[in-house]
Amino acid sequence: MTRKGLRRFFDGCRRHSGDAEAGDASSSTSSSPEAVLRLEAEVASAEAVVVKWDPNSSAYAKITSLFYEDRIEARRFVAHVSALQRLMLDVAAAGEPSGLSHPSLALAQTLMQAAMRRLEKEFYQILAANRDLLDPESVSVRSSVSDIDPWDDDETTATAVGDSTTVDNLRAIAGAMVFAGYGKECVSIYRTFRKSIVDDGLARLGFELRLQSYKMDWPALELKIRSWLAAARVTVRTLFHGERVLVDEVFADSDVVREAVFSNITGDAVQFFAFPELVARSIKRSHDKLFRMLDMHDVLAELWPEVGLVFSFESTASVRTQVVASLAKLTEAARIGLADFESAIVKEPSQSPVPGGSVHPMNRYAMNYLALLADYHPSAEEIFDSWQPSPPPHSVSATSPPLVLVARLIETLLLKLDGKADAYHDAALSHLFMANNLQYVVNKVGSCALRGLLGNDWSARHAAKARHHLARYERVAWGPLAAMVPATEVSSAAEARERMRGYRAALEEALAAQAGWAVVDAAVREETRERVREMVVPAYRGFHARWLSTASGVAGFPTPDEVWDRLGGLFSQLSGSDGSGSGSNTLNVSNQTL
């Protein structure tokens, strides 16, 4: 018996002795003569089949696969290997010098070494020949067949097992090799094949194993983030899950071995889950990157329960720890991004009024931003739960409970817009600007997930504010014209003509001044036109009718129907557009686009 063989054998003896103390005592109390006799019988029975399939014994054995050539004989081969190892351990456990020096023990060890050569070869061949069959996707969706006997010769059972026969063969070989003390060789072969599959899988999914601090321009980094997002679910649910299923089945007989193998094969999982943390650490404070942080957070949070199951071993605790660390860093980055968004609103520096009192580009950008943020509810609520950032200057609130965080940001936006309304020197246009922007906010909230977050009462209150500003516009812009119609009778046709002349001039002046003004919402635009008509035309109609009989009194002045039609052209210049006016849909701070 070789020195290596003796070391393996006595290592097995120690394991066997420990098992015997905790298990059935009958095995360890066998007398040496009885154990030797059983070993002699097993050696005689096993020698023919072991020698036949020893790769060193013949060219046939070297090129032929036992497990594919004859399943019945393969079953018998593994049974002999297990029986030989068990009986050798029984002889050693008896501790009799006569047994330890018996020739059958040395012959059994020689047969065991030959058997291990065959099983190593079979293990390698099965893994190599079935690389496609054992790809993680196939394994991850395959139903468990642990209750089916892989050696059953029944044709129906064999058909039901199907592709699982390959895994069953690997499990049988692994169990026999580990039991015989050749687990290291078995694990080495398995690890070499499966580690390359995991590495190839990650590479095909676009993930780079060599991670670094991602100090690069944002477009390039965003491409990497997109690749990671596309790969994450497949990596966990197919690649890593498939490897866990396979290792659990192949090394089902040894918890220690399967844990060590899986931990080694998926060692790059820590790097994979560290990517979001590295990104969150590397980006500069900027609100426009918030949504990529939320995307990665959502994916990690979604996969967390599965990560916990796949990487449940103590030796893979670092993977679970890394996922938690990445989630925490993404949460921090998202909070910083949202605080930066609010700060950007407050600091938005543009001074030029939007033409026609239309929707401010800042408003459009901010509401699109918040609408997109609302799409992340409730995950965003989890991120911002119990978060109370320091409010920027002029913020409306110092606290931000999750359900009112968006409302806070909108109020900050409206407060900023209210300040920008002061840029209009015409009070009527200032009110029209606020009406347009409030109505845009209300419409945006009603058309997206913000509606469910803020509620109907919130929308109703802000719609009322928009109507209030429209009413103020109507009074400031058209009240003076309506007041020009005398409430009492005039004394003469000359005075009537003078009144009509002033009315006509004021009408033309108002229409000319408001030629470029806008009411962005189509329904509100029609309602506003109608209210202006009702304010201006009825009194003029009565005055005009009283002097209609005196041709010289109304000749050359507009009729009430003409005034009605002229007022129908209000807000027509921008009625076909979205009313956003000019300017970029971004927030600018200190002339730098964020």
Side-chain angles (χ1 to χ4, degrees):
M1 185 182 301
T2 66
R3 180 178 299 176
K4 182 178 179 182
L6 283 171
R7 184 167 60 251
R8 291 183 186 277
F9 173 62
F10 286 112
D11 285 345
C13 291
R14 286 193 294 271
R15 290 196 304 272
H16 178 71
S17 176
D19 292 342
E21 291 176 4
D24 187 65
S26 62
S27 174
S28 62
T29 56
S30 299
S31 65
S32 179
E34 293 176 352
V36 169
L37 288 174
R38 290 199 300 273
L39 179 59
E40 283 184 307
E42 180 59 34
V43 167
S45 176
E47 185 173 14
V49 68
V50 171
V51 171
K52 173 184 176 182
W53 289 102
D54 181 0
N56 295 340
S57 66
S58 67
Y60 174 81
K62 184 174 294 186
I63 65 173
T64 306
S65 170
L66 166 61
F67 280 78
Y68 289 140
E69 184 71 17
D70 191 334
R71 295 182 67 246
I72 296 176
E73 188 148 281
R75 176 182 184 179
R76 190 161 57 245
F77 187 97
V78 172
H80 280 307
V81 169
S82 299
L84 278 173
Q85 180 68 12
R86 188 163 43 251
L87 290 171
M88 289 166 64
L89 294 175
D90 284 346
V91 171
E96 294 291 336
S98 60
L100 294 175
S101 61
H102 197 279
S104 62
L105 186 60
L107 181 55
Q109 181 61 23
T110 300
L111 290 177
M112 185 63 71
Q113 291 173 350
M116 290 303 108
R117 286 195 294 271
R118 165 49 58 184
L119 292 183
E120 281 187 56
K121 183 178 181 65
E122 291 291 327
F123 201 66
Y124 180 94
Q125 287 179 331
I126 293 173
L127 286 170
N130 294 278
R131 185 181 178 97
D132 293 338
L133 179 64
L134 297 175
D135 71 282
E137 183 176 5
S138 299
V139 174
S140 65
V141 300
R142 183 169 55 81
S143 300
S144 174
V145 293
S146 57
D147 295 331
I148 301 177
D149 182 359
W151 304 108
D152 197 326
D153 295 325
D154 180 80
E155 204 171 298
T156 303
T157 301
T159 302
V161 172
D163 293 342
S164 66
T165 300
T166 298
V167 177
D168 295 329
N169 290 341
L170 291 171
R171 180 168 61 242
I173 295 172
M177 292 185 70
V178 171
F179 181 55
Y182 283 75
K184 182 178 180 180
E185 288 78 359
C186 178
V187 166
S188 178
I189 295 170
Y190 185 89
R191 184 175 55 207
T192 299
F193 271 96
R194 301 311 301 179
K195 182 69 166 64
S196 67
I197 288 176
V198 171
D199 291 348
D200 290 347
L202 289 172
R204 285 197 303 272
L205 290 170
F207 177 70
E208 298 178 7
L209 293 178
R210 293 184 178 180
L211 295 182
Q212 55 187 351
S213 180
Y214 282 102
K215 295 182 179 179
M216 59 181 67
D217 60 15
W218 176 245
L221 181 55
E222 189 175 22
L223 287 177
K224 292 184 178 294
I225 294 173
R226 289 177 181 272
S227 296
W228 187 90
L229 290 169
R233 291 181 178 87
V234 178
T235 299
V236 173
R237 293 171 176 166
T238 300
L239 191 61
F240 293 147
H241 174 258
E243 289 303 320
R244 176 60 192 268
V245 170
L246 188 61
V247 81
D248 282 353
E249 292 186 349
V250 172
F251 296 99
D253 295 334
S254 175
D255 292 344
V256 174
V257 172
R258 66 193 179 97
E259 177 174 352
V261 172
F262 182 73
S263 177
N264 183 275
I265 289 173
T266 58
D268 292 323
V270 172
Q271 294 185 59
F272 182 83
F273 292 117
F275 174 79
E277 182 182 9
L278 290 175
V279 172
R281 289 184 182 278
S282 66
I283 63 172
K284 294 181 179 179
R285 181 187 182 99
S286 183
H287 60 270
D288 61 344
K289 301 173 180 61
L290 168 66
F291 298 108
R292 286 304 175 204
M293 302 302 105
L294 294 179
D295 286 336
M296 290 190 288
H297 185 281
D298 276 4
V299 169
L300 279 182
E302 175 189 330
L303 294 174
W304 169 242
E306 294 160 82
V307 170
L309 292 174
V310 173
F311 296 93
S312 60
F313 294 126
E314 182 63 29
S315 60
T316 57
S318 60
V319 176
R320 303 192 300 273
T321 300
Q322 181 57 64
V323 173
V324 172
S326 289
L327 284 169
K329 194 61 185 177
L330 289 170
T331 295
E332 179 186 346
R335 290 175 174 179
I336 291 173
L338 199 61
D340 181 72
F341 169 72
E342 185 172 17
S343 177
I345 292 174
V346 173
K347 296 177 181 179
E348 204 281 331
S350 64
Q351 298 295 326
S352 301
V354 178
S358 190
V359 177
H360 198 285
M362 175 186 68
N363 188 7
R364 182 175 302 280
Y365 175 87
M367 289 308 300
N368 286 336
Y369 188 96
L370 292 175
L372 185 56
L373 179 63
D375 288 338
Y376 288 86
H377 183 76
S379 60
E381 182 176 344
E382 178 184 343
I383 291 175
F384 301 114
D385 186 28
S386 303
W387 179 49
Q388 295 187 357
S390 299
H394 311 301
S395 178
V396 298
S397 173
T399 60
S400 52
L403 293 181
V404 300
L405 178 60
V406 171
R408 162 200 166 122
L409 294 171
I410 294 178
E411 293 304 321
T412 299
L413 170 65
L414 293 178
L415 188 64
K416 184 68 175 181
L417 290 169
D418 190 62
K420 290 186 178 298
D422 294 338
Y424 294 96
H425 300 298
D426 189 312
L429 185 55
S430 177
H431 285 297
L432 192 63
F433 169 79
M434 287 304 300
N436 275 321
N437 281 273
L438 276 163
Q439 189 63 48
Y440 177 81
V441 170
V442 171
N443 291 349
K444 192 68 176 181
V445 168
S447 66
C448 66
L450 288 169
R451 178 179 181 180
L453 186 64
L454 296 174
N456 292 330
D457 290 344
W458 187 97
S459 294
R461 288 197 305 272
H462 286 78
K465 292 179 181 180
R467 290 194 298 272
H468 170 75
H469 279 287
L470 278 174
R472 296 290 300 274
Y473 151 76
E474 292 159 10
R475 286 196 298 271
V476 173
W478 297 103
L481 180 63
M484 295 187 72
V485 178
T488 60
E489 292 292 335
V490 295
S491 58
S492 65
E495 182 180 356
R497 286 194 302 273
E498 187 64 26
R499 291 294 184 93
M500 287 191 178
R501 187 177 293 108
Y503 185 92
R504 181 180 62 189
L507 174 64
E508 295 298 332
E509 182 181 356
L511 289 173
Q514 298 183 46
W517 294 14
V519 174
V520 177
D521 182 274
V524 174
R525 183 164 59 243
E526 290 304 318
E527 293 170 3
T528 304
R529 286 170 177 166
E530 190 66 22
R531 284 194 301 270
V532 171
R533 284 165 163 172
E534 292 296 335
M535 175 187 293
V536 172
V537 175
Y540 179 74
R541 187 183 300 279
F543 182 74
H544 186 276
R546 287 193 297 274
W547 291 92
L548 182 61
S549 58
T550 306
S552 61
V554 296
F557 296 106
T559 67
D561 289 340
E562 289 173 338
V563 173
W564 185 275
D565 291 340
R566 294 290 301 280
L567 292 175
L570 283 173
F571 322 121
S572 296
Q573 182 170 328
L574 296 178
S575 62
S577 72
D578 62 6
S580 64
S582 61
S584 172
N585 291 337
T586 59
L587 292 176
N588 295 285
V589 177
S590 301
N591 298 321
Q592 181 179 2
T593 300
L594 298 181

